[in-house]
Amino acid sequence: MERSIGQDLAAVARISAMPAILQVISETTGMRFAAVARVTEDSWTACAVYDRLDFGLQAGSELDIATTLCKEVHLAHRPIIIGNVSEDPDYCGHHTPRMYGFQSYISVPVYRTDNTFFGTLCALDPLPRNLDTPTTLPMMESFARLLALQLEREEAFSETEAALTDARATADLREQFIALLGHDLRNPLSAITSGSELLLRRSENPTINQVASQILSAALRASRLVDDVLDFARGRLGNGVPLTLSQCDDLHLTLRQVVAEIQAAHPDRSISAYIGALGSLRCDRDRLAQLLSNLLANAVAHGARTGRIKVVALREDDLLTVAVSNEGMPIPPERLPGLFQPFWRSSEDAPKSGLGLGLYIAAEIARSHGGAMQVESTEAAGTTFTFVMPLAPDQRS
């Protein structure tokens, strides 16, 4: 049965990982516009968009197919990769780059599982980008295949939605897709990271070192995004964030190191910490460090730039408490219940502010430790996120 453009738009909109996919593409390639487009012989329709260029397109926007390169992708059945339009013999005089003002461009075809053409997964930027790497095209093609699989699942779901009695079964398909996506991205990201680190060790050319450092920084950011996506998938699949529990006698040192790292990354922000003696605890040291790091990153992103950020970690009686406070505008009461939901964003957030998974993952780490996250936000006291973990009888003072 032939599907309408509206049905395809709805199917892509239901793929909860789509914003993460497009952001990872942008972070990895350096191109600031990425999109999934439904392409027919006479139409180009954006189904999902990640835009840091104010390009002006959003889901549902249409372009004249004759003004795009997607028709060539469709007819040739192969990707188009342009690192620098000005130096590309095939496209330096093409009307499309001139019309839209881009210098770098990549587009790969998306085929449904029955081999019919759906559209393209594409990205572009006004500046030239190095797309001639061993990982860029495989990453894009992997995304395209995963998108096709998820589209099939979404379409099957919509056709049988009235007969479904267990909505969780369908949600699990989406979370499995996210987990598969994260695992498939690890190899190309590892290759990018290793290659850039090798260049930094061996090259004495300042220009090469600068570029390698930028590539390494982008790859590490993308790796963190993938880690967040994987943690999200594990939490949603019902297994919770996995822990490696051990007896920890120096958790206070680990938490202080996290504060020092965030302060070094944001030297213009005022961060103070009181981390008391926490004694010996059975916990996952790295996960609690991740929890604190996520809370601090949230405070840096949403607190007043001139305000202080305070960290307090205490062990009192039968409780371990870690709290992060920031000054600034209070969070409206009606929004507090949604803060620990996945992909939560403030309405004022810019697209570059992350995937909206930090607080959700912090809450999942807390839950896996048998604890919980709490939040209070007032104009007078600012906003405080608090992790509270009950201690087992043999851990109490």
Side-chain angles (χ1 to χ4, degrees), residues 75-87:
L75 294 175
H77 301 285
R78 59 181 177 82
I80 291 178
I81 303 175
I82 308 171
N84 188 339
V85 168
S86 301
E87 298 175 0

PDB file of all heavy atoms in Angstrom, residues 75-87:
ATOM      1  N   LEU A  75      18.253   8.957  -8.568  1.00  0.00           N
ATOM      2  CA  LEU A  75      18.472   8.383  -9.894  1.00  0.00           C
ATOM      3  C   LEU A  75      19.737   7.526  -9.949  1.00  0.00           C
ATOM      4  O   LEU A  75      19.759   6.484 -10.608  1.00  0.00           O
ATOM      5  CB  LEU A  75      18.550   9.503 -10.939  1.00  0.00           C
ATOM      6  CG  LEU A  75      17.248  10.303 -11.150  1.00  0.00           C
ATOM      7  CD1 LEU A  75      17.486  11.457 -12.112  1.00  0.00           C
ATOM      8  CD2 LEU A  75      16.146   9.393 -11.682  1.00  0.00           C
ATOM      9  N   ALA A  76      20.782   7.963  -9.241  1.00  0.00           N
ATOM     10  CA  ALA A  76      22.060   7.244  -9.305  1.00  0.00           C
ATOM     11  C   ALA A  76      22.126   6.083  -8.312  1.00  0.00           C
ATOM     12  O   ALA A  76      23.003   5.231  -8.421  1.00  0.00           O
ATOM     13  CB  ALA A  76      23.214   8.205  -9.046  1.00  0.00           C
ATOM     14  N   HIS A  77      21.228   6.068  -7.341  1.00  0.00           N
ATOM     15  CA  HIS A  77      21.209   5.016  -6.313  1.00  0.00           C
ATOM     16  C   HIS A  77      22.530   4.957  -5.544  1.00  0.00           C
ATOM     17  O   HIS A  77      22.977   3.880  -5.142  1.00  0.00           O
ATOM     18  CB  HIS A  77      20.923   3.640  -6.930  1.00  0.00           C
ATOM     19  CG  HIS A  77      19.628   3.570  -7.650  1.00  0.00           C
ATOM     20  ND1 HIS A  77      18.407   3.507  -7.008  1.00  0.00           N
ATOM     21  CD2 HIS A  77      19.358   3.579  -8.980  1.00  0.00           C
ATOM     22  CE1 HIS A  77      17.441   3.460  -7.913  1.00  0.00           C
ATOM     23  NE2 HIS A  77      17.975   3.519  -9.109  1.00  0.00           N
ATOM     24  N   ARG A  78      23.141   6.110  -5.327  1.00  0.00           N
ATOM     25  CA  ARG A  78      24.405   6.125  -4.576  1.00  0.00           C
ATOM     26  C   ARG A  78      24.547   7.474  -3.868  1.00  0.00           C
ATOM     27  O   ARG A  78      23.894   8.463  -4.241  1.00  0.00           O
ATOM     28  CB  ARG A  78      25.599   5.900  -5.499  1.00  0.00           C
ATOM     29  CG  ARG A  78      25.744   6.919  -6.606  1.00  0.00           C
ATOM     30  CD  ARG A  78      26.944   6.594  -7.498  1.00  0.00           C
ATOM     31  NE  ARG A  78      27.071   7.521  -8.611  1.00  0.00           N
ATOM     32  CZ  ARG A  78      27.645   8.718  -8.543  1.00  0.00           C
ATOM     33  NH1 ARG A  78      28.134   9.128  -7.383  1.00  0.00           N
ATOM     34  NH2 ARG A  78      27.721   9.489  -9.590  1.00  0.00           N
ATOM     35  N   PRO A  79      25.394   7.520  -2.829  1.00  0.00           N
ATOM     36  CA  PRO A  79      25.566   8.762  -2.066  1.00  0.00           C
ATOM     37  C   PRO A  79      26.274   9.840  -2.880  1.00  0.00           C
ATOM     38  O   PRO A  79      26.967   9.558  -3.868  1.00  0.00           O
ATOM     39  CB  PRO A  79      26.432   8.333  -0.870  1.00  0.00           C
ATOM     40  CG  PRO A  79      26.348   6.844  -0.833  1.00  0.00           C
ATOM     41  CD  PRO A  79      26.142   6.401  -2.246  1.00  0.00           C
ATOM     42  N   ILE A  80      26.108  11.069  -2.435  1.00  0.00           N
ATOM     43  CA  ILE A  80      26.885  12.205  -2.927  1.00  0.00           C
ATOM     44  C   ILE A  80      27.647  12.770  -1.737  1.00  0.00           C
ATOM     45  O   ILE A  80      27.062  13.054  -0.695  1.00  0.00           O
ATOM     46  CB  ILE A  80      25.978  13.291  -3.538  1.00  0.00           C
ATOM     47  CG1 ILE A  80      25.346  12.796  -4.840  1.00  0.00           C
ATOM     48  CG2 ILE A  80      26.770  14.573  -3.791  1.00  0.00           C
ATOM     49  CD1 ILE A  80      24.398  13.791  -5.475  1.00  0.00           C
ATOM     50  N   ILE A  81      28.963  12.915  -1.891  1.00  0.00           N
ATOM     51  CA  ILE A  81      29.810  13.457  -0.837  1.00  0.00           C
ATOM     52  C   ILE A  81      30.642  14.587  -1.437  1.00  0.00           C
ATOM     53  O   ILE A  81      31.394  14.373  -2.384  1.00  0.00           O
ATOM     54  CB  ILE A  81      30.742  12.393  -0.235  1.00  0.00           C
ATOM     55  CG1 ILE A  81      29.932  11.205   0.298  1.00  0.00           C
ATOM     56  CG2 ILE A  81      31.580  12.991   0.886  1.00  0.00           C
ATOM     57  CD1 ILE A  81      30.789  10.071   0.806  1.00  0.00           C
ATOM     58  N   ILE A  82      30.507  15.786  -0.888  1.00  0.00           N
ATOM     59  CA  ILE A  82      31.247  16.946  -1.365  1.00  0.00           C
ATOM     60  C   ILE A  82      31.895  17.614  -0.157  1.00  0.00           C
ATOM     61  O   ILE A  82      31.206  18.192   0.680  1.00  0.00           O
ATOM     62  CB  ILE A  82      30.330  17.962  -2.077  1.00  0.00           C
ATOM     63  CG1 ILE A  82      29.484  17.275  -3.168  1.00  0.00           C
ATOM     64  CG2 ILE A  82      31.153  19.089  -2.672  1.00  0.00           C
ATOM     65  CD1 ILE A  82      28.416  18.173  -3.750  1.00  0.00           C
ATOM     66  N   GLY A  83      33.211  17.527  -0.066  1.00  0.00           N
ATOM     67  CA  GLY A  83      33.908  18.164   1.050  1.00  0.00           C
ATOM     68  C   GLY A  83      34.106  19.653   0.840  1.00  0.00           C
ATOM     69  O   GLY A  83      34.097  20.434   1.786  1.00  0.00           O
ATOM     70  N   ASN A  84      34.280  20.054  -0.434  1.00  0.00           N
ATOM     71  CA  ASN A  84      34.493  21.465  -0.754  1.00  0.00           C
ATOM     72  C   ASN A  84      33.960  21.709  -2.158  1.00  0.00           C
ATOM     73  O   ASN A  84      34.572  21.295  -3.147  1.00  0.00           O
ATOM     74  CB  ASN A  84      35.985  21.817  -0.670  1.00  0.00           C
ATOM     75  CG  ASN A  84      36.234  23.306  -0.805  1.00  0.00           C
ATOM     76  OD1 ASN A  84      35.402  24.056  -1.324  1.00  0.00           O
ATOM     77  ND2 ASN A  84      37.381  23.749  -0.323  1.00  0.00           N
ATOM     78  N   VAL A  85      32.802  22.351  -2.263  1.00  0.00           N
ATOM     79  CA  VAL A  85      32.159  22.569  -3.560  1.00  0.00           C
ATOM     80  C   VAL A  85      33.090  23.299  -4.519  1.00  0.00           C
ATOM     81  O   VAL A  85      33.177  22.966  -5.705  1.00  0.00           O
ATOM     82  CB  VAL A  85      30.846  23.363  -3.385  1.00  0.00           C
ATOM     83  CG1 VAL A  85      30.327  23.857  -4.727  1.00  0.00           C
ATOM     84  CG2 VAL A  85      29.800  22.512  -2.696  1.00  0.00           C
ATOM     85  N   SER A  86      33.805  24.301  -4.017  1.00  0.00           N
ATOM     86  CA  SER A  86      34.654  25.126  -4.886  1.00  0.00           C
ATOM     87  C   SER A  86      35.724  24.314  -5.595  1.00  0.00           C
ATOM     88  O   SER A  86      36.189  24.687  -6.672  1.00  0.00           O
ATOM     89  CB  SER A  86      35.313  26.238  -4.070  1.00  0.00           C
ATOM     90  OG  SER A  86      34.344  27.046  -3.451  1.00  0.00           O
ATOM     91  N   GLU A  87      36.132  23.180  -5.001  1.00  0.00           N
ATOM     92  CA  GLU A  87      37.196  22.366  -5.583  1.00  0.00           C
ATOM     93  C   GLU A  87      36.667  21.071  -6.195  1.00  0.00           C
ATOM     94  O   GLU A  87      37.459  20.232  -6.626  1.00  0.00           O
ATOM     95  CB  GLU A  87      38.227  22.030  -4.499  1.00  0.00           C
ATOM     96  CG  GLU A  87      38.899  23.257  -3.909  1.00  0.00           C
ATOM     97  CD  GLU A  87      39.834  22.917  -2.755  1.00  0.00           C
ATOM     98  OE1 GLU A  87      39.951  21.718  -2.413  1.00  0.00           O
ATOM     99  OE2 GLU A  87      40.439  23.853  -2.207  1.00  0.00           O
TER     100      GLU A  87
END
